[in-house]
Amino acid sequence: MIMRIPALLASVLTLLAVSASPATAETVVPRGFRPASTSWTGPDTGYVLGYSPCGKSWCPALLGTTDGGAHWRRLGAPPMALPDNHNHVALTFTGDRVAYVSDGVHVRTTRDGGKSWHPVGLAGAREPYYLSKITETAGRVFAVLTTFGDGHGSTRLYSGAAGSPVLVPVPGFAAAGGITYGDLAVGGGLQVALGADYGTEKYWTSRDGVRFTPAEPPCPAGSVASLAGVRDRQVVALCSSSPGSPQPGSTERRLRHAAKLGGTFSGGDAAPFAGITQGFGAASPSSATVAAEGGGTGFLHSTADGGRTWTTTVLADRGLSLTDLDFPGGGTGVVVDGQPDADGGSALYRTTDGGHNWREQPIG
């Protein structure tokens, strides 16, 4: 039997549906939304934390997609204000329900897809400090924390069980000096690199997040390692000199490879030196991209042949930062250009061919 809706009722329902559409769209993506950070768990599944004008301030909003950005849904946003000092607010999803967000000083986490957010403490950390990276793997959380003070600082690895409200320093994982730094990468195993004053770095690998093995650092003395995850059983790293070499607004860079996790790195193919290194990611052993900023311009230097040749994509002159460069699989990569409260705003860029072509990704 076919149910017939009276003509008057049908007209009312149609009117309500049409009237509701703009309101629904506005609810998903707030007016004036600008991305601050992005994190993807697969080629098509990603998340964007951004901010929109809210009175005299900026209000956070968290969006998710499962179809490469064609459609977005609204999730519960973390209570993280946009910092006045332009610190990067970094979002890291390690699963569909588990995520971390940090402004470099404060850390919040969710384990229910954004329905609730809880603070994560850093035992013994005294400001000024900056948390540069946090992630979760093999049932444990890992973070890199750098403290500053009167010409002397340190960078340490922090860790804790997944879901722990407090992270603690890992004994033996520290670098001290005038300038200290570090990086970590997951995917095919855990890698940790810590260094100071552009001297020799320390480097460890682990397959389970519990037992670590010291290994020969990816980079020679005088350069800093940026780590990518294991790609097709190979490990890819970028070695960068101190900023401003060979000239202001530039960095000498070389690509290095190891045949396996914990293996010896070799090679030394030079990458373009335009810009100061902001990020590094690899889609495969042969396909990698360097994010760099110089002279108010953003550069994405990409190679498809292991570093022998490079192409450069020049982005809009937002001139502040390139963050969250990552390749979550299938040749798909993402990066955020700019900051929400900057004059030039910010934008999400995406590639689906390993970094050869980058296009601005519409949100909403």
Side-chain angles (χ1 to χ4, degrees):
M1 181 179 70
I2 299 176
M3 180 178 293
R4 300 186 181 278
I5 301 175
L8 179 59
L9 178 58
S11 299
V12 171
L13 292 175
T14 301
L15 179 62
L16 288 174
V18 172
S19 301
S21 297
T24 302
E26 179 63 21
T27 301
V28 174
V29 182
R31 185 182 301 276
F33 178 86
R34 294 178 175 182
S37 184
T38 192
S39 181
W40 293 64
T41 57
D44 298 317
T45 302
Y47 306 86
V48 176
L49 173 64
Y51 292 81
S52 59
C54 181
K56 296 183 178 180
S57 184
W58 293 81
C59 290
L62 180 60
L63 308 176
T65 181
T66 56
D67 55 13
H71 303 90
W72 297 89
R73 68 186 188 280
R74 188 82 169 263
L75 303 173
M80 187 71 68
L82 191 62
D84 293 334
N85 60 4
H86 295 297
N87 271 4
H88 175 48
V89 178
L91 174 72
T92 302
F93 265 83
T94 61
D96 292 337
R97 298 175 62 82
V98 179
Y100 296 86
V101 64
S102 172
D103 62 1
V105 178
H106 309 96
V107 185
R108 299 286 186 273
T109 185
T110 181
R111 307 194 74 81
D112 55 16
K115 293 179 181 178
S116 61
W117 290 86
H118 309 281
V120 177
L122 302 164
R126 296 183 179 180
E127 296 188 46
Y129 62 77
Y130 186 78
L131 188 144
S132 58
K133 185 168 282 190
I134 185 169
T135 191
E136 183 176 314
T137 185
R140 295 195 64 80
V141 185
F142 295 92
V144 175
L145 184 81
T146 297
T147 58
F148 311 94
D150 296 336
H152 184 83
S154 68
T155 297
R156 302 184 63 97
L157 179 69
Y158 274 66
S159 186
S164 173
V166 179
L167 306 182
V168 300
V170 181
F173 286 73
I179 301 175
T180 64
Y181 37 80
D183 195 13
L184 61 83
V186 297
L190 175 64
Q191 303 174 69
V192 178
L194 303 175
D197 301 323
Y198 297 94
T200 302
E201 291 185 325
K202 296 179 180 179
Y203 175 69
W204 301 264
T205 65
S206 175
R207 295 189 180 278
D208 59 9
V210 177
R211 294 176 293 270
F212 286 83
T213 302
E216 181 180 337
C219 300
S223 55
V224 177
S226 298
L227 305 173
V230 179
R231 303 294 188 234
D232 297 333
R233 297 187 295 277
Q234 295 188 43
V235 187
V236 189
L238 180 74
C239 301
S240 301
S241 67
S242 60
S245 173
Q247 62 192 37
S250 68
T251 308
E252 291 181 308
R253 290 177 279 256
R254 294 187 179 276
L255 204 60
R256 305 262 287 174
H257 294 82
K260 62 179 181 179
L261 185 69
T264 300
F265 284 83
S266 62
D269 293 304
F273 59 77
I276 306 300
T277 302
Q278 303 280 301
F280 171 67
S284 70
S286 60
S287 179
T289 295
V290 179
E293 285 278 351
T297 301
F299 304 97
L300 294 172
H301 306 299
S302 299
T303 180
D305 55 14
R308 289 187 294 274
T309 61
W310 295 79
T311 59
T312 297
T313 300
V314 180
L315 301 182
D317 294 336
R318 292 187 173 90
L320 279 176
S321 62
L322 284 170
T323 55
D324 303 325
L325 175 63
D326 187 34
F327 287 87
T332 298
V334 291
V335 69
V336 173
D337 181 25
Q339 295 181 343
D341 57 346
D343 290 340
S346 59
L348 172 65
Y349 283 84
R350 190 167 180 262
T351 179
T352 56
D353 57 11
H356 184 69
N357 294 287
W358 292 86
R359 297 182 177 84
E360 187 170 338
Q361 172 69 52
I363 301 176

